Each structure stands twice: as C-alpha cells, then as structure tokens.
Amino acid sequence: METTAQAATDALLPSARPVQLLDPSGTEVPQAGTARDYVMPSAARLREVWRAMVIGRRFDIQATALTKQGRLAVYPSSRGQEACQVGATLSVRASDWVFPTYRESMALVTRGIDPVEVLSLLRGDSHCGYDPIATHTAPQCTPLSTQLVHAAGAAYGEQRRGRDSVALAFIGDGATSEGDFHEALNFAAVFESPTIFFVQNNKYAISVPLSKQTKAPSLAYKGIGYGVPAEQVDGNDPAAVLAVMDVALEHARSGKGPFLIEAHTYRLDAHTNADDATRYRSSDEVTTWLDRDPIARVEAWLKAHGELNDDVVAATNAEAEARASELRDRMNAEPKVEPMSLFDNVFAEPTAQLEQARAMVQAELDAEATA
C-alpha cells in the first residue's frame, strides 16, 4: 500500500531541476533526473518556433515603441519570454482555448490574431478587439488569476460536450499568490478539467521578487497539494517548452485532468512602460539573462544541424520588419471608436443596470448631435 501511495505521489512531482534540452549555446543536453521522458522536437517544429519568435520579438519591440509615441496607453513587454509565449501557443490546436493575461500580446499574434486587434485593449479602444468565440481566445485579463477559473470551467464544459479541446491558461509568478489560482487548480483537479496552467516565472511580480512570493522549492510544487501533476522547465529553451507542452497536452486530452507547468524565464524590459525596473534589479542581472536568449539558442541548433542558413535568417528578419512597419502605419491612423460598443459583450443577457447606462449614454450622444 505504501509503495502504491508513494508512486502516486511521485507521479505528481516535477523534476528536481527545470527540464532543459538545449543549453544557452544551442547544444543538446542529455536528459538526467527528469520526472518524465521528453522527446526532442523535430527540426521542422524548431524552425517554426524560431520564425514565430523572431516575428514576435519584432512585434513586441514595435509595440513598446508605440507607447513612446502616444499610440498605446500602456504595454507590458514579453521580450525575453518568447519561448514561453510562442512555444506554448504553437503547441495547442486552433480548436483549443487560450486564456491570456495582459502580457500575452505576442502569444495572440502567434495565434494568428490581427496585431491591431490585439492592441486595441492597450490603446483603450475596446474591452477586446478580437472575437473570443471565433478565435477560441479569451480577452486579455488584467486582474490577476481571474482567467484561470474561467479556463478551468471552459475546459470542463468542452469535456462535457464530448470534445477533446483543452484550455491553455497563462499566468505570471506573482499571480500564483492570488486565491483564484488555488480555486482554479482545485476545481480543475476535482472535475478533471483538461486545463494547462502555464506559469511564466519571470522572477518579479512587478517589483516584488519571487522570494517574497513563496517558500516552495519552485512554483511547480504547488500542484501536488491539489493532486495536479506538474513540471518545471527552462522557459528560455524552446525545445524543452515544446516537449513539456506535448506531455501536458497528452495528459489533458487523454482524460487525466489538468497539468501545471512552471517555466523559468525573465522579462528583459520593465513590467510596463510605466515601470522603472532599475529601482529593484541590477543591470548585471539583466545582462546575465541576455546570454540565455531563446532565439539565439534555437537558431544555433538549427544552423549546426544544417536546418537554417543566413539567407533564411535575413529573409525572416525582413519579414518581421515589414510586419512591424505595417503595424506602425495602421496604429498611426486615428481609430474610429463607437461609444455605444462600450455596452457590447458585457453580459449574455443585459442587466437592467446595463440597459439604464446604455440609455443614458445614448441620450447624451443624441443631445450632442442636435446641439
């Protein structure tokens, strides 16, 4: 009995060290001491993730510049977290659901959503610029962790409908301190909801370091308290992110319930353009993480295996630059905002209070038009 119980416990625990398949130089790392067996992704998948990361980073840099030009009210950069944003997103199907935070703009662009629609929230144009139903992508969530409860419920609903869809829910390390994180994991575990909880541990909750968040060996160990299997992964290793996602997705799709992933990564820029990161971290710390660049890592592996050459690199960079230029031009055009759209997509069935507010705004607009 004790052996069976111990085996069940061990099956929930993450590896003692983050899973890594490629080191920062792009050299393959032999697996040792991992909790599960992980398969090196194919060269084709690594080429795909490399290309999407190059395009995603250029988008992120352009979006950051748009805040300085007054075209965005705020922008939370994910530069440095490309392997997490892109690798996790490319691992799921179009029929799966994605529940992003405010920092997942790069992930949404990778998912194929129009970048202008992605940035509409951060520009202040609308609650959500894209169609969540059509894209199977929830609106970007600013409150911490609240989208996790939605993800667990949505995945459970899909399961009850007989579909094999999963929900991929992104979260930051600081948000694991919120009650909704614990409620979502507990619900998902009890009802075996096929949800992937993907924690991007970028070491800071704005200015609060991880040491002030938890005393756990790593955030992945939080899963065992709910009966949720977990893994920790080098979040700057695109190959490892893909491999761990494959295992998590197979677990969820096969009816075994949720899976928790902690990706160890780092945001190279400030929390948002309104944050001064120099007040709580050193330039030496940032420099150390620059040497762990996920794009350079997989690019080195691809070149060493004859899967990538300088011409393709140049062409991909040119494509990324062209997309950034198009985004800049489109964002420089003044948006056409419909005030009454403020009341759309708030409730499936509008409440009396919402209808009252709608009528008040409409009356103001009518009065202004006839003045």
Side-chain angles (χ1 to χ4, degrees), residues 106-193:
M106 186 189 300
L108 301 189
V109 170
T110 300
R111 193 152 169 81
I113 299 174
D114 185 333
V116 173
E117 294 181 355
V118 170
L119 295 176
S120 67
L121 169 67
L122 301 173
R123 183 160 61 174
D125 295 349
S126 65
H127 296 302
C128 180
Y130 51 88
D131 184 341
I133 302 300
T135 60
H136 277 216
T137 304
Q140 287 180 275
C141 190
T142 301
L144 300 185
S145 286
T146 57
Q147 80 281 6
L148 301 188
V149 181
H150 305 157
Y156 179 58
E158 292 286 76
Q159 183 185 67
R160 286 180 62 86
R161 292 183 176 92
R163 302 167 183 163
D164 68 347
S165 299
V166 305
L168 169 62
F170 287 102
I171 183 178
D173 51 289
T176 62
S177 296
E178 296 290 326
D180 285 323
F181 170 78
H182 305 281
E183 292 168 14
L185 262 69
N186 192 58
F187 176 93
V190 170
F191 292 97
E192 298 184 333
S193 169

